[in-house]
Amino acid sequence: MASIFDILGPVMVGPSSSHTAGAVRIGLIGRQLFGKQPKKAVVYLHGSFAATGKGHGTDKALIAGLLGMKPDDLRIPDSFEIAKEMGMDFLIEPKELRDAHPNTARIMMEAEDGKTLELQAYSIGGGRIRVSMLDGMEVNFSGETNTLIVRNQDQPGCITDVSTVLNLCGINIATMQVFRAKRGGSAVMVVETDQVVPKSAIEMLEGRQGIMKVTFLNVSEKE
Amino acid sequence: MSYQSMEEAYARCEKEGIEFWKAVQLEDAEERDIKLDDSWKQMKGMWQAMLDSIDTYDPALMSRSGLVGKEGGIMEEYLAKGDTLCGDFMAKVMANALKMGCNNACMKRIVAAPTAGACGVLPAVLVTFYREYDVPEEKMVEAMYVAAGVGQIIAARAYLAGASGGCQAEVGSGSGMAAAAICHVKGGSKEQLGHACAMALKNLMGLVCDPVGGLVEVPCVKRNVGGAVNAMAAADMALAGIVSQIPVDQVIDAMKEVGDRMDVSLKETGVGGVAGSLRAQEVVKKIF
């Protein structure tokens, strides 16, 4: 849901809310979902991002976001040099992505310990974005509110487990979406919450039968 | 949930006997579960950021491509001679729109309203008026709520990105928001600010997004002037008592339809419109 401060705002470094500020947000949400600065990032730019990204600083903005910068950070134009200093390797390439929105980026992140995350997101203007794919699974969320992402086996009880744990922690579910690749296969739950999901709840979920990976996007967290 | 139509916002105003801006503020506080006072402080911060941004303008700076940067200064020199066609106040509106557009192209800090490409329209109208006339700052913050509320409804029914709906969605929406906002400052009713918005949107309907080289420079910087002047004209029409024969919600829906039908070459791809002109191609060759 667009807050009025997504309409008036963000206060940002130019020149484009969709191609600069939105791109910073995509990188930043990637980093927040990953939980740390990646050691290596491969970025694909699609559509208008590929065609006009360079002139808008889309490439620099995505890298700035991966480094934890916000859209009003005056260091955005220098993000490539800063990435070098901070030890993050990156590769940026134009790539035609199937059925993707014109302002789409796909980011593949890798950590030193081998942990990976692949995220695809698109910029819808005014600095707002939507995440459309996570580790190859179709999803749809804005990253504007706290979001819990659970990768699980498509089997009975997983949704109950998640709602029970959240209930125990006094967390209200704002929205909930479930997606699956095929019956009995890999599935994903995207749960937007009104409160922050504590680490203990995430650990509890990770131990449950059928749950493979739990990620939490904490938007109240100060970098 | 935020308002999905101007009609819905009007209905709340009537039910609770409140002004349009108040309905927007109440909804913001309720949706985000914050105090009214905190919402106000945040909006006042946005207003202050707009004032600050205009003042950071430097006529000596040029964008990386060298296409824009000095236009705000040129306009200011011209208006200082006191012999403009549009009159002193309108010339100041134009100068401020240019300054903000140039600031954005030069990677300075700006306030997207609703987008960075259209960031000059709203401050050109509101800040110029505020500095020219003796208006309490509270009134201007109220006007910011009006602009934000209108923008939110456009976002819900249509879109705000040039890549999605063309420039009508960016400068067009900015112009509609500014028309409604300045109408409120001048004491217009909620219906009048709706008419002002509708007329501003209609005048810019179909506007394509055709940036040369894909950069937010040409024709974007000057289009902010078009959006600001159009907003003033639409607000004056509404304040005069002229109405939009098509209700504002339906105008927004029509803008969406036009945007959906617009060819992709005219949606921020840097291909069609003036971006496809011979001169643009020469410029692009030089830059990249």
Side-chain angles (χ1 to χ4, degrees):
Chain A
M1 190 51 55
S3 143
I4 52 172
F5 294 100
D6 296 311
I7 307 295
L8 283 191
V11 177
M12 53 163 279
V13 165
S16 166
S17 52
S18 54
H19 286 58
T20 319
V24 178
R25 292 258 302 137
I26 290 173
L28 183 59
I29 281 173
R31 182 209 172 102
Q32 286 170 330
L33 286 170
F34 199 49
K36 57 183 158 191
Q37 182 181 302
K39 174 83 189 133
K40 192 184 166 197
V42 177
V43 179
Y44 291 152
L45 300 177
H46 166 85
S48 175
F49 265 18
T52 73
K54 227 179 196 120
H56 287 121
T58 306
D59 43 5
K60 292 181 175 173
L62 282 159
I63 299 304
L66 287 170
L67 294 171
M69 292 184 209
K70 298 208 169 105
D72 69 341
D73 201 310
L74 290 166
R75 298 173 299 162
I76 291 164
D78 309 317
S79 70
F80 286 0
E81 293 76 24
I82 296 170
K84 261 190 208 122
E85 283 164 27
M86 292 174 78
M88 184 178 85
D89 290 333
F90 62 90
L91 181 73
I92 302 169
E93 281 181 351
K95 191 164 182 104
E96 195 64 32
L97 302 169
R98 249 181 72 199
D99 296 331
H101 182 281
N103 294 341
T104 297
R106 183 184 289 176
I107 309 176
M108 285 132 305
M109 289 164 275
E110 200 181 315
E112 244 156 16
D113 59 10
K115 184 185 160 184
T116 64
L117 181 74
E118 184 182 314
L119 161 132
Q120 186 170 313
Y122 58 95
S123 176
I124 57 173
R128 303 177 62 222
I129 66 154
R130 297 208 68 90
V131 179
S132 53
M133 214 178 268
L134 265 185
D135 286 335
M137 291 285 293
E138 208 171 292
V139 293
N140 181 10
F141 63 95
S142 68
E144 286 161 22
T145 48
N146 294 316
T147 309
L148 182 75
I149 296 139
V150 181
R151 288 293 304 267
N152 58 290
Q153 276 306 120
D154 180 35
Q155 64 183 47
C158 283
I159 295 175
T160 311
D161 276 349
V162 171
S163 60
T164 305
V165 168
L166 292 181
N167 179 29
L168 285 173
C169 300
I171 288 158
N172 188 48
I173 294 176
T175 71
M176 183 167 189
Q177 302 168 303
V178 291
F179 308 86
R180 68 176 182 191
K182 63 177 172 109
R183 192 174 192 160
S186 182
V188 61
M189 271 177 256
V190 177
V191 187
E192 292 180 317
T193 62
D194 288 336
Q195 294 86 15
V196 171
V197 178
K199 226 180 163 113
S200 58
I202 292 168
E203 279 162 10
M204 220 188 295
L205 282 171
E206 277 169 339
R208 296 288 171 134
Q209 170 75 25
I211 291 180
M212 297 164 332
K213 188 174 176 183
V214 183
T215 314
F216 183 60
L217 177 71
N218 184 348
V219 297
S220 341
E221 197 174 55
K222 299 275 175 279
E223 280 269 331
Chain B
M1 185 135 124
S2 66
Y3 304 113
Q4 301 295 300
S5 66
M6 291 291 279
E7 279 302 325
E8 191 187 339
Y10 291 168
R12 178 163 191 181
C13 293
E14 274 153 31
K15 195 171 153 213
E16 298 179 23
I18 52 174
E19 288 188 277
F20 184 86
W21 77 267
K22 192 73 192 175
V24 177
Q25 188 200 26
L26 283 169
E27 188 277 331
D28 177 50
E30 287 156 11
E31 183 60 30
R32 297 192 295 142
D33 195 21
I34 57 166
K35 292 195 192 92
L36 278 178
D37 191 40
D38 290 331
S39 170
W40 180 270
K41 275 183 199 148
Q42 198 176 343
M43 191 56 93
K44 201 172 172 183
M46 287 294 162
W47 167 245
Q48 189 59 49
M50 276 190 185
L51 291 171
D52 292 346
S53 186
I54 285 190
D55 294 336
T56 63
Y57 175 69
D58 177 357
L61 273 188
M62 291 300 279
S63 66
R64 276 181 303 171
S65 72
L67 289 173
V68 295
K70 59 181 188 291
E71 289 76 8
I74 295 174
M75 192 68 202
E76 212 155 45
E77 275 173 30
Y78 170 67
L79 82 87
K81 292 178 198 153
D83 187 29
T84 65
L85 281 173
C86 295
D88 188 59
F89 180 69
M90 200 61 114
K92 283 180 185 163
V93 168
M94 292 160 72
N96 279 335
L98 289 168
K99 285 184 184 181
M100 288 296 290
C102 291
N103 277 351
N104 182 55
C106 295
M107 288 194 100
K108 291 214 170 199
R109 205 176 265 155
I110 54 94
V111 182
T115 63
C119 74
V121 177
L122 192 62
V125 171
L126 292 184
V127 175
T128 314
F129 191 87
Y130 173 67
R131 288 182 170 167
E132 189 77 7
Y133 299 100
D134 194 19
V135 195
E137 194 164 38
E138 288 70 38
K139 198 76 189 170
M140 305 314 295
V141 180
E142 288 177 17
M144 294 282 282
Y145 275 107
V146 171
V150 167
Q152 199 174 28
I153 290 163
I154 297 173
R157 303 182 79 86
Y159 23 50
L160 301 173
S164 306
C167 194
Q168 57 164 4
E170 294 209 16
V171 165
S173 299
S175 191
M177 289 157 62
I182 197 66
C183 200
H184 171 75
V185 175
K186 287 286 280 177
S189 66
K190 64 180 187 304
E191 288 81 9
Q192 279 175 314
L193 65 87
H195 287 307
C197 174
M199 289 188 278
L201 287 175
K202 282 190 293 184
N203 288 354
L204 296 178
M205 193 170 290
L207 193 64
V208 302
C209 181
D210 51 352
V212 171
L215 302 167
V216 193
E217 300 186 5
V218 178
C220 321
V221 170
K222 291 160 204 142
R223 249 181 215 161
N224 276 273
V225 176
V229 171
N230 178 57
M232 302 284 297
D236 256 342
M237 282 196 278
L239 290 164
I242 296 169
V243 299
S244 169
Q245 298 295 351
I246 311 298
V248 57
D249 290 324
Q250 293 179 35
V251 171
I252 297 169
D253 294 346
M255 180 183 108
K256 165 88 161 62
E257 200 197 313
V258 169
D260 287 348
R261 291 178 182 207
M262 201 178 277
D263 190 79
V264 71
S265 67
L266 303 170
K267 293 190 205 178
E268 208 176 338
T269 45
V271 176
V274 298
S277 66
L278 202 61
R279 176 80 183 118
Q281 287 165 17
E282 289 165 10
V283 166
V284 167
K285 237 184 242 162
K286 240 186 246 169
I287 302 173
F288 297 109

